[in-house]
Amino acid sequence: DVAAEIKRLAPNGLDAVLEGVGGKMLQTALDNLTPEGRLLQIGYISEYPHNPDAATESSKNDVVASELFWKSQTIKRGKQTIYGNAWPKDYTAIAASKSRVLKLFSEGKIKSLVDDTKDFVGLESVSDAIEHMLSGKTIGKVVAKI
């Protein structure tokens, strides 16, 4: 129960959320923002066509994730700010971050999580890897070895 864990870990709410799931997770994040909290939306994968329950789940949300994303909307809710499609428009502005992240990775200070529940080998496995990724049962990145 994500909402219960948020309440346990951050009883006063969340000041900032990086949200890329959409659906119920988006609403859970919105429900747990502090009065001056900020949410940066970077996607809404749970609302893609692979999820037959997407329309039902998202119908309960305060905001429409697809519009928020594709229109790059900024919504104010009192003192809260919700930024849609928070990806940078000018990637040169974050170029230095790439080097820093790669350095931290090479030093073992950060890890990349790779889902190891299934092996995908060869081009013929790519569609299975995509289906697995969209299943919602993965932890980390899904890799197909070519």
Side-chain angles (χ1 to χ4, degrees):
D1 182 351
V2 174
E5 279 299 298
I6 292 171
K7 296 276 187 220
R8 184 178 73 79
L9 296 169
N12 296 322
L14 303 168
D15 291 322
V17 175
L18 184 65
E19 208 289 313
V21 178
K24 289 189 281 188
M25 191 64 67
L26 171 60
Q27 190 58 47
T28 297
L30 291 170
D31 290 344
N32 286 282
L33 280 180
T34 59
E36 295 181 13
R38 293 164 311 282
L39 182 139
L40 290 84
Q41 181 210 39
I42 59 168
Y44 57 106
I45 195 164
S46 74
E47 296 184 39
Y48 290 1
H50 71 280
N51 180 359
D53 300 324
T56 303
E57 289 178 14
S58 62
S59 69
K60 301 170 188 165
N61 287 4
D62 292 347
V63 299
V64 177
S66 60
E67 288 183 15
L68 184 65
F69 187 83
W70 292 110
K71 294 180 180 179
S72 294
Q73 294 175 330
T74 297
I75 298 172
K76 296 292 274 184
R77 295 187 339 161
K79 292 184 177 181
Q80 294 176 338
T81 308
I82 304 160
Y83 300 97
N85 194 356
W87 291 105
K89 307 301 181 244
D90 176 9
Y91 285 97
T92 59
I94 60 164
S97 297
K98 177 183 171 187
S99 298
R100 180 170 178 256
V101 168
L102 291 174
K103 181 178 185 283
L104 290 169
F105 179 77
S106 70
E107 293 171 349
K109 293 181 178 175
I110 59 173
K111 285 184 178 182
S112 176
L113 294 178
V114 177
D115 184 87
D116 60 2
T117 58
K118 290 187 177 187
D119 286 327
F120 300 99
V121 180
L123 281 175
E124 66 278 1
S125 73
V126 170
S127 62
D128 291 336
I130 291 170
E131 188 174 312
H132 180 63
M133 177 191 67
L134 295 174
S135 74
K137 298 175 185 173
T138 63
I139 301 290
K141 300 295 181 184
V142 175
V143 175
K145 298 174 185 169
I146 308 293

